[in-house]
Amino acid sequence: MKITQISSFLSLCSIALFFSCQQAKVQEESTTEKPNIVFIYLDDLGYGDVSAYEAGTLETPNMDRLVNGGVKFTNGYASSATCSPSRYAILTGTYPWRNKNAKILPGTAPLLIDTAQYTLPKLLRDQGYATGIVGKWHLGLGSGNVNWNEKISPGPNQVGFDYSYILAATQDRVPTVYIEDGYVVNLDPSDPIEVSYEENFPGEPTALTHPELVEMKWHHGHNNSIVNGVPRIGYMKGGEAAKWSDVDMADHFLEKAQSYVKEKANSGQPFFLYYALQQPHVPRTPHPRFEGKSGMGPRGDVILEADWVIGEFLKTLEEEGVLENTLIVFSSDNGPVLNDGYYDEAVEKLGDHTPAGPLRGGKYSLFEAGTRVPFATYWKGKIEPGVSDALVTQIDLMASIADLVGVESTAPDSQNLLATFMGKSQQERSEFVLEATTKTALRKGDWVMIPPYQGPAVQSQVNIELGNAEDYQLYNLTDDIGQENNLAESNPEKLQEMIQLYEQIRGAGAGNVEQLELK
């Protein structure tokens, strides 16, 4: 071999070796430099409540920072128009209608997620992540007969979370206490807690028997035990030292979320934090710092409070030096509602604000505003700001995050849309069976089909259209985002196509969910 040939051969070898080393380096970095993952999950926040969606009049600069600084999804969905089912789906990658118990749960409900079920926190824990939840749980606790005065199990810690600091259900339901890793915080053993959703305890005041103790007037449903002047759903006795302060709740959960980040940031271990804010769910109890700031009453005020909380949390990520290695998912568990059980001027002071934006319906509804919610992925320096019209759901986060950390997900209904969540693709979910109060509808492409259902067209207590009708409904969302024109009669071929696909999906693995009788 000539010298020139040997020289060329060695050069080629050097180049090949260089690129081989570079590829190995990238692969090593992708497996060793696992990002932190944070879900910022709000409660009843509507599509139009975030100013980045340019559909309302509230200003939410910190939420906008996430939405405008990452991928802003215009077709991003919760799985359900109510809270417990959506929370079940986001943690399991499973349609909530597959579980007959996935409904709005009382505070005494048993754990909704089977402890043997594979969950997102379990998946991440298996990949070396620390896993924590701070905030609203509302997925049940125990096995159906909880003793609140000893360790409560099973709960978040038994479905994949190393650390949990939660409220059991919702802010308007008893028990009105914080629970840390299965134990009620600040519980006085000499003042044990008793909780019931069936009957009151002898001698305990309620909103009906002692209206003079009520500081927030109830509209419907919230007339049982009174805590901090707020009438609740359900009955509770004892636990006085453990009861939370409503106006401090946002600050309290923020401090716990910040402490978690500070503890984990320098540990060398990646972390997953499910930060589930309680705003703007009722009762809306803004801290005095935010009272009157929105001009829309307590509902607007607590949205501004939530926006401030998110800003403070982002500051902590920055100060701890982990923001640039943290994937943040920002969304809401379902759509908006104004009067949801208390007289708090949410309707009277709404003004020109449109919580649902251009969408029809709201919380509890099969129409778009029930499940289409603010939805964004943010990763400073890794995700380029952009807008995506791709159809994505919170169910898809499990399979996508599994891919991100280098494993396969076994979640039955989750689709891997990692490239879409990272802003690299417009690939979208092929179809989606959304749920609202155990009723379901189909979204595929630009089309939505709602089967006929019995029941009122409007839930009069909250003044929201539910989507119930005697006949099929078919809408093209590209031309009719407000779902004003039912095309079922004028487009029978598309209707039959949607019905056939819907029945195919609902019939496959529907579990204990009763099959619908379709016309």
Side-chain angles (χ1 to χ4, degrees), residues 88 94-103 112 114 117 413 438 440 505-516:
Y88 173 83
T94 305
Y95 277 128
W97 49 262
R98 297 196 190 279
N99 185 333
K100 67 178 182 179
N101 296 317
K103 306 172 184 178
L112 183 60
D114 192 303
Q117 189 167 356
D413 301 308
T438 72
T440 52
I505 298 171
R506 281 301 309 257
N512 295 317
V513 178
E514 294 182 4
Q515 296 300 299
L516 302 176

Side-chain angles (χ1 to χ4, degrees), residues 456-514:
V458 176
Q459 214 286 14
S460 58
Q461 292 176 320
V462 299
N463 193 30
I464 288 175
E465 292 184 286
L466 297 177
N468 297 325
E470 293 183 357
D471 299 310
Y472 282 99
Q473 299 174 71
L474 182 69
Y475 301 98
N476 187 304
L477 298 177
T478 298
D479 303 325
D480 180 24
I481 194 172
Q483 295 177 290
E484 297 178 355
N485 303 308
N486 184 2
L487 303 177
E489 288 189 9
S490 62
N491 204 329
E493 291 184 0
K494 174 57 72 172
L495 177 62
Q496 288 304 314
E497 174 191 328
M498 297 287 282
I499 292 173
Q500 184 176 5
L501 177 60
Y502 173 79
E503 291 178 332
Q504 177 184 339
I505 298 171
R506 281 301 309 257
N512 295 317
V513 178
E514 294 182 4

Side-chain angles (χ1 to χ4, degrees), residues 256-335:
K256 295 299 177 183
Q258 290 173 318
S259 295
Y260 186 83
V261 169
K262 291 175 182 178
E263 178 186 342
K264 302 303 179 185
N266 298 312
S267 68
Q269 181 183 19
F271 64 84
F272 167 55
L273 176 62
Y274 174 40
Y275 184 17
L277 282 67
Q278 88 280 9
Q279 300 104 323
H281 194 284
V282 295
R284 294 144 186 161
T285 53
H287 191 277
R289 300 192 310 273
F290 297 94
E291 280 190 49
K293 295 297 184 182
S294 69
M296 296 180 194
R299 184 178 187 275
D301 294 345
V302 298
I303 291 175
L304 298 188
E305 180 179 50
D307 186 73
W308 175 84
V309 160
I310 290 170
E312 293 301 299
F313 180 74
L314 293 177
K315 285 181 186 176
T316 300
L317 292 175
E318 288 179 309
E319 291 167 356
E320 296 301 316
V322 296
L323 182 64
E324 294 184 359
N325 192 39
T326 300
L327 169 64
I328 300 174
V329 177
F330 165 77
S331 197
S332 175
D333 64 350
N334 51 249

Side-chain angles (χ1 to χ4, degrees), residues 256-472:
K256 295 299 177 183
Q258 290 173 318
S259 295
Y260 186 83
V261 169
K262 291 175 182 178
E263 178 186 342
K264 302 303 179 185
N266 298 312
S267 68
Q269 181 183 19
F271 64 84
F272 167 55
L273 176 62
Y274 174 40
Y275 184 17
L277 282 67
Q278 88 280 9
Q279 300 104 323
H281 194 284
V282 295
R284 294 144 186 161
T285 53
H287 191 277
R289 300 192 310 273
F290 297 94
E291 280 190 49
K293 295 297 184 182
S294 69
M296 296 180 194
R299 184 178 187 275
D301 294 345
V302 298
I303 291 175
L304 298 188
E305 180 179 50
D307 186 73
W308 175 84
V309 160
I310 290 170
E312 293 301 299
F313 180 74
L314 293 177
K315 285 181 186 176
T316 300
L317 292 175
E318 288 179 309
E319 291 167 356
E320 296 301 316
V322 296
L323 182 64
E324 294 184 359
N325 192 39
T326 300
L327 169 64
I328 300 174
V329 177
F330 165 77
S331 197
S332 175
D333 64 350
N334 51 249
V337 59
L338 296 178
N339 180 344
D340 203 22
Y342 298 96
Y343 288 99
D344 65 359
E345 301 181 301
V347 176
E348 294 81 359
K349 292 187 175 182
L350 184 63
D352 296 328
H353 183 58
T354 51
L359 308 177
R360 185 177 180 181
K363 184 178 180 179
Y364 311 111
S365 176
L366 286 166
F367 289 124
E368 283 293 282
T371 48
R372 196 194 293 205
V373 291
F375 198 143
T377 51
Y378 175 94
W379 188 350
K380 185 177 180 180
K382 294 292 180 69
I383 292 179
E384 292 293 326
V387 178
S388 175
D389 297 327
L391 171 62
V392 298
T393 78
Q394 294 167 8
I395 300 172
D396 303 318
L397 290 168
M398 185 163 174
S400 304
I401 288 174
D403 187 17
L404 177 68
V405 300
V407 296
E408 290 187 10
S409 167
T410 57
D413 301 308
S414 188
Q415 296 186 16
N416 183 358
L417 299 176
L418 178 61
T420 306
F421 286 130
M422 293 294 292
K424 306 293 186 183
S425 171
Q426 289 295 318
Q427 178 188 356
E428 63 180 1
R429 167 176 270 269
S430 51
E431 69 276 323
F432 168 50
V433 177
L434 59 94
E435 186 268 345
T437 60
T438 72
K439 299 174 181 179
T440 52
L442 175 68
R443 167 84 194 265
K444 180 175 175 58
D446 299 329
W447 296 87
V448 169
M449 184 277 293
I450 303 175
Y453 289 107
Q454 295 181 346
V458 176
Q459 214 286 14
S460 58
Q461 292 176 320
V462 299
N463 193 30
I464 288 175
E465 292 184 286
L466 297 177
N468 297 325
E470 293 183 357
D471 299 310
Y472 282 99

Side-chain angles (χ1 to χ4, degrees), residues 45-260:
L45 188 75
Y47 190 90
D49 283 325
V50 179
S51 49
Y53 281 86
E54 302 177 343
T57 59
L58 279 170
E59 293 295 328
T60 54
N62 295 299
M63 296 181 196
D64 291 358
R65 177 182 175 185
L66 296 175
V67 176
N68 291 332
V71 181
K72 169 186 170 183
F73 290 100
T74 62
N75 280 286
Y77 287 80
S79 67
S80 172
T82 56
C83 44
S84 298
S86 287
R87 292 162 195 274
Y88 173 83
I90 199 172
L91 293 179
T92 65
T94 305
Y95 277 128
W97 49 262
R98 297 196 190 279
N99 185 333
K100 67 178 182 179
N101 296 317
K103 306 172 184 178
I104 302 174
L105 299 178
T108 52
L111 182 64
L112 183 60
I113 301 174
D114 192 303
T115 55
Q117 189 167 356
Y118 203 46
T119 64
L120 179 58
K122 283 183 180 179
L123 182 154
L124 291 171
R125 189 179 61 186
D126 289 347
Q127 296 304 307
Y129 277 72
T131 56
I133 172 175
V134 170
K136 175 179 172 176
W137 178 239
H138 207 187
L139 286 169
L141 293 168
S143 302
N145 188 21
V146 170
N147 182 343
W148 303 95
N149 307 291
E150 56 186 34
K151 186 171 184 179
I152 302 162
S153 182
N157 301 90
Q158 285 68 49
V159 297
F161 289 103
D162 302 329
Y163 175 74
S164 66
Y165 194 99
I166 61 170
L167 58 90
T170 55
Q171 194 179 340
D172 59 345
R173 285 172 171 78
V174 298
T176 52
V177 296
Y178 297 120
I179 302 168
E180 184 173 28
D181 288 334
Y183 292 95
V184 172
V185 177
N186 294 329
L187 179 63
D188 181 353
S190 66
D191 184 24
I193 295 173
E194 295 180 73
V195 175
S196 172
Y197 275 71
E198 284 74 44
E199 59 183 357
N200 192 23
F201 301 99
E204 292 296 307
T206 70
L208 294 176
T209 62
H210 292 72
E212 73 280 0
L213 300 178
V214 172
E215 297 176 12
M216 182 181 291
K217 186 179 179 182
W218 63 278
H219 179 269
H220 60 273
H222 298 74
N223 55 23
N224 300 149
S225 290
I226 305 166
V227 179
N228 303 330
V230 180
R232 316 282 170 155
I233 299 173
Y235 304 99
M236 177 177 171
K237 179 182 179 181
E240 290 300 321
K243 289 179 179 178
W244 64 50
S245 167
D246 290 271
V247 297
D248 295 323
M249 183 174 287
D251 287 352
H252 191 74
F253 281 141
L254 171 63
E255 189 275 328
K256 295 299 177 183
Q258 290 173 318
S259 295
Y260 186 83

